[in-house]
Amino acid sequence: MSKSLSMLFTLVNKSNILGQIRYYASSALPQLSSEKYGIKRKHFSPLQQEDINYFKSIFKEGQVLTEESEVLPFNIDWIKNCRGQSKLILKPKSTEEVSKILAYCNEKRLAVCPQGGNTGLVGGSVPVFDEIVVNLALMNKINTLDELSGALVCEAGCILETLDDYVRERGLIMPIDLGAKGSCHIGGNVSTNAGGLRLLRYGNLHGCVMGVEAVKADGTIIDCLRTLKKDNTGYHLKHLFIGSEGTLGVVTKVAISCPSLPKAVSLGFFGLKSFENVLQLYKSAKSSLGEILSAFEMADNCAIKSTVENLKIPNPISDYPFYVLVETHGSDENHDNEKLTRFLSKEMESGLIIDGTITSEPAKMKNIWHLRESIAGAGLLDGYVFKYDVSIPLTNYYDIVLSLRKKLGDKVRNVYGYGHIGDGNIHINVTVPQYSKEIYSLLEPYIFEQVAKLNGSISAEHGVGFRKPQFIHYSKDASALQLMRELKRTMDPNGILNPYKVLPDV
Amino acid sequence: MSKSLSMLFTLVNKSNILGQIRYYASSALPQLSSEKYGIKRKHFSPLQQEDINYFKSIFKEGQVLTEESEVLPFNIDWIKNCRGQSKLILKPKSTEEVSKILAYCNEKRLAVCPQGGNTGLVGGSVPVFDEIVVNLALMNKINTLDELSGALVCEAGCILETLDDYVRERGLIMPIDLGAKGSCHIGGNVSTNAGGLRLLRYGNLHGCVMGVEAVKADGTIIDCLRTLKKDNTGYHLKHLFIGSEGTLGVVTKVAISCPSLPKAVSLGFFGLKSFENVLQLYKSAKSSLGEILSAFEMADNCAIKSTVENLKIPNPISDYPFYVLVETHGSDENHDNEKLTRFLSKEMESGLIIDGTITSEPAKMKNIWHLRESIAGAGLLDGYVFKYDVSIPLTNYYDIVLSLRKKLGDKVRNVYGYGHIGDGNIHINVTVPQYSKEIYSLLEPYIFEQVAKLNGSISAEHGVGFRKPQFIHYSKDASALQLMRELKRTMDPNGILNPYKVLPDV
């Protein structure tokens, strides 16, 4: 194993998304994004030795990486779809250091790629050309936690799982949970408006984030880091940084509202006959489980089968056309069990649930969640995965999978859908032995056209990043795009922040 | 009663906030805001007859009001604190009509004051000089409701209570509830980021609003009216219009996520010994009631006593230093009762609750809520009320009331505090026989200074409006204010939208 690949392997292996997947070590480097997608470099200044010298003069050892082998892992996204050519990685340790970097880069017209845990799926967190990577990993301090109100304040580089462990010990949980939790940063979650598994219950980040501290392109620190649930004093600036994928500013600190740790958690995993039954079961769960419902996830047969086969993860029940995972978070175990049992017996009797298992044992619940969360990575073992993440109103939620299967036939290995029914969010994976332009052109823009026809969103939770700017018009009209451009111009007039991302060229 | 006062009376009397309050009819018109607060008119064009002719040519009868008696009610806010001098009220019936109005006004440099139900408390919804009032009352259509996902789409002028009645009949509730529900518009709620009574449970509007359609100052329609819970396609523009109080655009349609109608609702009203006990009870309620807790409100003795005396509303329990209202929304009556009873017996035994009543009877619950919601208006019968709405971290939540009582002594009739403990949001009312500059100068900026010292917000949910721009710096630093100004310049370069509001003059 070459040194650089070994480092890359170490980097990606830290992520629990990948679990036992070991494919990185043996495979080749992905093609450069600029070549693969035919992108032209914009007129930013090229990095000079004097720039590197400047950063070395203000930072300590370990904060400025320039060796080829050191910078490589920061240039590649974890699904090996994108590769940039950055020659400089900066690892600031404070907001003031981020401010100094951006003020300098803005002055010198040097492009910057802000980077969190680099677990994104749309190439938003890796450079395209030689942008300077500003990686927030060393900004990982937890500042304060108010146990009565649930307000947590921490730096952007804190890993989501670390935060969740911390607040759990104090009777709270993080309001967000996703497969990449072992690697992703809270700053990245906020910058990409990450959704995840329990949005249904705890709401989205626009609702949960109480405050943000961010640095604008010119180095100005915007301090909106209050821990108040209500604060109507002027424009709600924090929302500019939630979901703008590092193109309007770099998030440096986050204040977030943590709900109470549920005293009782249960999980059901059910087999169903049809997608129509999945929707009927969702309606019934909303009514029967009410306020304790914390997740309602679905996966089709192929998604589960592939995961079981590729990753050797056991399926706790038999083979069914559709699977549903129902989770409850509540404050009284007896009450919750009663609700869940009543729901289960009613729906087994009605025939909506053909087979299933319910458990409150932590180890068993972990196994079921592991199966669900592993779907995202399992397809990579087929070779290459085209991944889509779209929102579609529920009635037509699953149509796209069926129409893709019909369209692609045996040109691909697998087409499967899984996702968060409660949020109208489906993930579609198309697996092939290796990346193929032919398949790519069959998929795009076809999928986006279909989603637009159904009034859906071409990116539900993964964002636009590098991969989707040219398709954003399927979800946003010309006036909205124009306003986005005006905001970008106002907040980053030289366009140094995360170029080639989010907004399409005019 | 003069014709104009009679019309004003009719207007305000529609609001159920005011309930039995009849003071308007007998009292004089409030002083002009410009005189009272010494404001200078900005360089907008004065309204010409040709402008009125233009609007009359494109609108139908009843949409263009110019008679002095007709325009008066639209010039005065309901707490009689502000009075503007508008000579033209426009009542558009569609987004396209709003667009036409703004395009014309922007072209002619005519200032505009967007207006919803005019229930605001900071003078944001009435003009200061001769701004043209664009009142949304005729845009009151409900467009669609998806009963499975809970997505409601409606026009901005829909009255909150009307919407709540509509969705309740279909198994859902509005995620927002506030005292002014009988008059306030959903567009106004969104524009001011209204908070209200159940934010604790159903979250804030940044979390619940799925989409917004708004018109920019130049007449451009921004269509972000999706009904998706997850949509990460570019900047999250809708948040620019949530809470910017009509200064960045006029909200014309709203898509909002409605939670399920709770199958069981209960209400407890308790007497407590001290504010410390209020906080301890909140902690206990969060733990014992968990996910069914839907409101946790507090009022001090003076707040309840004044309301009982001024409005002759009965207090269901005896006289106590503090009162707490605890509400539960759940899906199983037996489970909820068990939780609530357990909570009550535990805390009566512990001595936190001295006395109290619990009920699930709709009529009794309505009476208790009526008492709580009437506090806001009751003080007006003392003569004049200085009203403050601030957020303060919980430990110091009630300090400000004590320090004001000490400072003001017998110079005022009453000082009392009440509000939403779950949101750290306290309302402070100071009642006097009539408006007094001396009291005003004792209160402001003193209150804001105290709040700033405690890292609170000088406006929790009421907004900045006309009354607080000069105090916004107590909650926002220079960089944040600068960014707000840049956003205003970008989106409304001529400054025609709701001038004299939100942002202080440089």
Side-chain angles (χ1 to χ4, degrees):
Chain A
M1 199 190 299
S2 76
K3 192 182 165 199
S4 60
L5 278 176
S6 154
M7 290 205 52
L8 178 60
F9 174 74
T10 312
L11 183 85
V12 296
N13 203 32
K14 280 192 303 191
S15 163
N16 75 349
I17 318 171
L18 296 170
Q20 54 214 249
I21 308 172
R22 292 281 181 269
Y23 58 93
Y24 259 97
S26 62
S27 48
L29 282 178
Q31 198 182 352
L32 288 175
S33 303
S34 55
E35 288 170 7
K36 185 168 170 184
Y37 297 101
I39 307 290
K40 274 194 186 148
R41 188 179 180 284
K42 292 188 178 176
H43 296 295
F44 298 108
S45 306
L47 187 73
Q48 307 289 336
Q49 187 57 45
E50 65 178 52
D51 302 322
I52 296 174
N53 293 346
Y54 169 74
F55 290 118
K56 285 197 168 161
S57 78
I58 61 165
F59 291 127
K60 297 202 174 125
E61 224 190 299
Q63 291 189 268
V64 182
L65 310 181
T66 53
E67 290 294 316
E68 207 182 322
S69 61
E70 286 177 325
V71 303
L72 184 66
F74 298 89
N75 271 306
I76 302 175
D77 66 339
W78 80 268
I79 51 167
K80 294 197 304 172
N81 191 35
C82 296
R83 177 152 71 98
Q85 305 160 55
S86 181
K87 288 171 174 49
L88 177 62
I89 316 297
L90 297 176
K91 300 179 104 178
K93 288 184 174 175
S94 68
T95 305
E96 290 66 34
E97 289 187 357
V98 174
S99 167
K100 274 186 194 165
I101 295 170
L102 296 191
Y104 181 89
C105 291
N106 190 49
E107 179 68 29
K108 297 271 184 173
R109 305 293 190 270
L110 289 160
V112 166
C113 174
Q115 188 178 72
N118 195 11
T119 60
L121 292 160
V122 286
S125 59
V126 288
V128 179
F129 290 95
D130 55 345
E131 299 92 276
I132 296 171
V133 173
V134 178
N135 181 291
L136 280 282
L138 300 184
M139 287 186 63
N140 59 359
K141 275 194 290 294
I142 294 172
N143 300 91
T144 57
L145 176 67
D146 178 332
E147 294 182 28
L148 181 56
S149 74
L152 170 76
V153 179
C154 65
E155 290 183 334
C158 290
I159 288 172
L160 178 59
E161 195 167 52
T162 309
L163 294 176
D164 197 52
D165 291 345
Y166 180 85
V167 301
R168 270 177 194 269
E169 284 169 19
R170 290 154 182 88
L172 301 162
I173 55 168
M174 290 299 285
I176 177 172
D177 190 8
L178 58 160
K181 59 179 167 280
S183 307
C184 65
H185 293 181
I186 188 72
N189 298 149
V190 168
S191 299
T192 58
N193 188 32
L197 305 163
R198 293 193 186 86
L199 190 136
L200 163 69
R201 171 66 172 275
Y202 300 110
N204 60 49
L205 287 176
H206 284 285
C208 306
V209 171
M210 305 169 106
V212 158
E213 179 196 72
V215 182
K216 278 205 313 163
D218 64 2
T220 309
I221 298 167
I222 301 292
D223 175 9
C224 296
L225 198 67
R226 296 302 172 99
T227 56
L228 306 166
K229 289 197 182 166
K230 290 180 176 172
D231 177 17
N232 279 348
T233 50
Y235 304 157
H236 294 224
L237 300 176
K238 66 184 178 201
H239 299 283
L240 286 167
F241 305 104
I242 302 176
S244 54
E245 306 184 39
T247 64
L248 296 180
V250 177
V251 172
T252 48
K253 290 200 187 88
V254 172
I256 193 165
S257 179
C258 298
S260 298
L261 177 70
K263 291 179 192 158
V265 177
S266 293
L267 203 60
F269 191 66
F270 309 123
L272 283 81
K273 214 164 43 195
S274 67
F275 180 70
E276 210 193 320
N277 286 0
V278 172
L279 285 191
Q280 285 166 337
L281 193 68
Y282 175 54
K283 195 173 178 181
S284 163
K286 274 183 44 156
S287 168
S288 305
L289 301 172
E291 63 283 354
I292 64 169
L293 184 64
S294 57
F296 192 102
E297 304 278 305
M298 87 98 196
D300 65 18
N301 179 282
C302 183
I304 293 295
K305 200 180 241 172
S306 297
T307 308
V308 166
E309 283 171 8
N310 286 359
L311 301 178
K312 316 293 174 224
I313 297 174
N315 174 359
I317 60 175
S318 307
D319 205 48
Y320 296 102
F322 288 89
Y323 296 90
V324 162
L325 180 157
V326 174
E327 187 197 58
T328 61
H329 276 187
S331 61
D332 186 304
E333 199 178 337
N334 294 335
H335 292 169
D336 296 1
N337 282 344
E338 207 180 306
K339 287 187 178 98
L340 202 52
T341 311
R342 200 166 51 197
F343 165 68
L344 184 66
S345 35
K346 181 179 159 216
E347 298 312 349
M348 288 198 78
E349 201 166 306
S350 76
L352 281 186
I353 296 175
I354 319 175
D355 186 12
T357 173
I358 286 191
T359 179
S360 297
E361 278 181 49
K364 284 190 185 163
M365 291 195 293
K366 202 175 167 185
N367 288 342
I368 294 173
W369 268 121
H370 181 55
L371 173 61
R372 163 64 187 86
E373 292 183 41
S374 298
I375 303 172
L380 289 162
L381 291 186
D382 285 354
Y384 185 86
V385 190
F386 293 95
K387 293 175 82 73
Y388 299 93
D389 156 53
V390 301
S391 282
I392 302 173
L394 287 178
T395 332
N396 300 101
Y397 182 92
Y398 194 68
D399 296 357
I400 189 87
V401 176
L402 300 176
S403 91
L404 280 176
R405 281 191 190 141
K406 201 168 158 191
K407 186 178 170 77
L408 299 168
D410 55 10
K411 290 195 177 100
V412 298
R413 190 160 292 172
N414 283 315
V415 178
Y416 49 83
Y418 61 99
H420 322 289
I421 287 279
D423 316 323
N425 176 197
I426 184 166
H427 301 297
I428 301 146
N429 285 9
V430 178
T431 76
V432 284
Q434 63 212 18
Y435 177 83
S436 140
K437 280 214 168 167
E438 187 209 344
I439 303 298
Y440 172 66
S441 63
L442 285 172
L443 287 166
E444 301 181 23
Y446 176 75
I447 286 187
F448 306 129
E449 285 166 358
Q450 298 305 306
V451 169
K453 272 184 204 158
L454 298 168
N455 288 314
S457 165
I458 64 143
S459 185
E461 56 181 9
H462 294 170
V464 176
F466 169 67
R467 290 281 291 105
K468 293 187 182 174
Q470 71 274 35
F471 303 117
I472 195 172
H473 65 275
Y474 287 107
S475 285
K476 290 283 148 63
D477 72 9
S479 300
L481 285 172
Q482 177 59 22
L483 179 52
M484 289 182 200
R485 286 200 178 92
E486 288 169 9
L487 291 174
K488 173 73 176 174
R489 232 177 354 247
T490 300
M491 295 182 65
D492 177 17
N494 300 318
I496 63 159
L497 280 178
N498 228 3
Y500 320 104
K501 318 277 171 71
V502 185
L503 294 177
D505 287 329
V506 187
Chain B
M1 200 190 295
S2 75
K3 191 183 165 198
S4 59
L5 278 174
S6 155
M7 289 204 55
L8 178 61
F9 174 74
T10 313
L11 183 86
V12 298
N13 202 35
K14 280 192 303 191
S15 161
N16 75 351
I17 318 169
L18 296 170
Q20 54 214 246
I21 307 174
R22 291 282 181 269
Y23 58 92
Y24 260 98
S26 61
S27 48
L29 281 178
Q31 197 181 353
L32 288 175
S33 302
S34 55
E35 289 170 6
K36 186 169 170 184
Y37 297 101
I39 308 289
K40 275 194 187 148
R41 188 179 181 283
K42 292 187 177 175
H43 296 295
F44 298 107
S45 306
L47 187 73
Q48 307 287 337
Q49 187 58 45
E50 66 177 52
D51 302 321
I52 295 174
N53 294 345
Y54 169 73
F55 290 119
K56 284 196 170 164
S57 79
I58 61 167
F59 291 127
K60 296 200 176 125
E61 223 189 300
Q63 292 189 267
V64 182
L65 310 183
T66 54
E67 290 294 317
E68 205 181 321
S69 61
E70 286 177 325
V71 302
L72 183 68
F74 299 89
N75 271 306
I76 303 176
D77 65 342
W78 80 267
I79 52 167
K80 293 197 306 171
N81 191 36
C82 296
R83 177 154 71 99
Q85 305 159 54
S86 182
K87 289 173 173 47
L88 177 61
I89 316 298
L90 298 176
K91 299 179 105 178
K93 287 185 174 176
S94 69
T95 305
E96 291 64 35
E97 290 187 356
V98 174
S99 168
K100 273 186 195 166
I101 295 171
L102 296 190
Y104 181 88
C105 291
N106 190 50
E107 179 69 28
K108 297 270 184 174
R109 305 293 190 271
L110 289 161
V112 166
C113 174
Q115 188 177 73
N118 195 12
T119 61
L121 292 160
V122 287
S125 59
V126 287
V128 179
F129 290 96
D130 55 345
E131 300 92 275
I132 295 171
V133 172
V134 178
N135 182 291
L136 280 284
L138 300 184
M139 287 186 64
N140 58 358
K141 274 195 290 294
I142 294 173
N143 300 92
T144 57
L145 175 67
D146 179 331
E147 294 182 26
L148 182 55
S149 75
L152 169 76
V153 180
C154 65
E155 290 183 334
C158 290
I159 288 173
L160 179 59
E161 195 168 53
T162 309
L163 294 175
D164 197 52
D165 291 345
Y166 180 85
V167 301
R168 271 176 194 269
E169 282 169 20
R170 290 151 182 90
L172 301 162
I173 55 168
M174 290 299 283
I176 178 173
D177 190 7
L178 60 158
K181 60 179 167 280
S183 307
C184 65
H185 294 182
I186 189 70
N189 299 149
V190 168
S191 299
T192 58
N193 187 34
L197 305 162
R198 294 194 186 85
L199 189 136
L200 163 70
R201 170 66 172 274
Y202 300 110
N204 59 50
L205 288 176
H206 284 285
C208 306
V209 170
M210 305 169 106
V212 158
E213 179 194 73
V215 182
K216 279 206 310 162
D218 65 1
T220 309
I221 297 168
I222 302 292
D223 175 8
C224 296
L225 199 68
R226 297 302 171 100
T227 56
L228 306 166
K229 288 197 181 166
K230 291 180 175 173
D231 178 17
N232 279 348
T233 49
Y235 305 156
H236 294 226
L237 300 176
K238 67 184 177 201
H239 300 282
L240 286 167
F241 304 104
I242 302 176
S244 54
E245 306 183 39
T247 64
L248 296 180
V250 178
V251 171
T252 47
K253 289 200 188 89
V254 171
I256 193 163
S257 179
C258 298
S260 297
L261 178 70
K263 292 180 192 155
V265 177
S266 293
L267 202 61
F269 191 67
F270 309 124
L272 284 82
K273 215 163 43 193
S274 66
F275 180 70
E276 212 193 317
N277 286 1
V278 172
L279 285 191
Q280 286 166 338
L281 193 68
Y282 175 53
K283 195 173 176 179
S284 163
K286 273 182 48 155
S287 168
S288 304
L289 301 173
E291 63 282 355
I292 64 169
L293 183 64
S294 57
F296 192 101
E297 303 278 304
M298 85 97 197
D300 64 18
N301 178 282
C302 183
I304 294 295
K305 200 180 243 172
S306 298
T307 309
V308 167
E309 285 172 7
N310 287 356
L311 301 178
K312 315 293 173 225
I313 298 174
N315 174 359
I317 61 175
S318 307
D319 204 49
Y320 295 102
F322 288 88
Y323 296 90
V324 162
L325 180 159
V326 174
E327 188 198 57
T328 61
H329 276 188
S331 62
D332 185 304
E333 199 177 338
N334 294 335
H335 292 168
D336 296 2
N337 282 344
E338 208 179 305
K339 287 185 178 99
L340 201 52
T341 310
R342 200 165 52 197
F343 165 69
L344 185 66
S345 34
K346 182 178 158 217
E347 298 312 348
M348 287 197 80
E349 202 167 306
S350 76
L352 281 186
I353 295 175
I354 319 174
D355 185 12
T357 174
I358 288 190
T359 179
S360 297
E361 279 181 48
K364 284 190 184 166
M365 292 196 291
K366 202 175 168 186
N367 287 342
I368 295 173
W369 269 121
H370 182 55
L371 174 60
R372 162 64 188 85
E373 292 183 44
S374 299
I375 303 173
L380 289 163
L381 290 188
D382 286 354
Y384 185 85
V385 190
F386 293 96
K387 293 175 82 74
Y388 299 93
D389 156 54
V390 300
S391 282
I392 302 173
L394 287 178
T395 332
N396 299 102
Y397 181 92
Y398 194 67
D399 297 357
I400 190 87
V401 176
L402 300 176
S403 91
L404 280 177
R405 278 189 191 147
K406 203 168 156 190
K407 187 179 169 77
L408 300 169
D410 55 10
K411 289 193 179 104
V412 298
R413 189 161 291 175
N414 283 314
V415 178
Y416 47 83
Y418 61 99
H420 322 288
I421 287 281
D423 316 324
N425 177 196
I426 184 167
H427 300 297
I428 301 146
N429 284 9
V430 178
T431 73
V432 283
Q434 63 211 18
Y435 176 81
S436 140
K437 279 213 167 165
E438 187 209 343
I439 302 299
Y440 171 66
S441 64
L442 286 171
L443 287 167
E444 299 179 25
Y446 176 77
I447 285 186
F448 305 129
E449 285 166 0
Q450 299 304 307
V451 168
K453 274 186 202 158
L454 298 168
N455 289 314
S457 165
I458 64 144
S459 185
E461 57 181 8
H462 295 169
V464 176
F466 169 67
R467 291 282 290 105
K468 292 188 182 173
Q470 72 273 34
F471 303 117
I472 196 172
H473 66 275
Y474 286 107
S475 284
K476 290 283 149 63
D477 71 9
S479 301
L481 285 173
Q482 178 57 24
L483 179 51
M484 288 182 201
R485 285 200 181 90
E486 288 168 9
L487 291 173
K488 174 72 176 174
R489 236 179 347 252
T490 301
M491 296 181 64
D492 177 18
N494 300 319
I496 62 159
L497 279 178
N498 226 4
Y500 321 103
K501 318 277 173 73
V502 185
L503 294 176
D505 287 328
V506 187

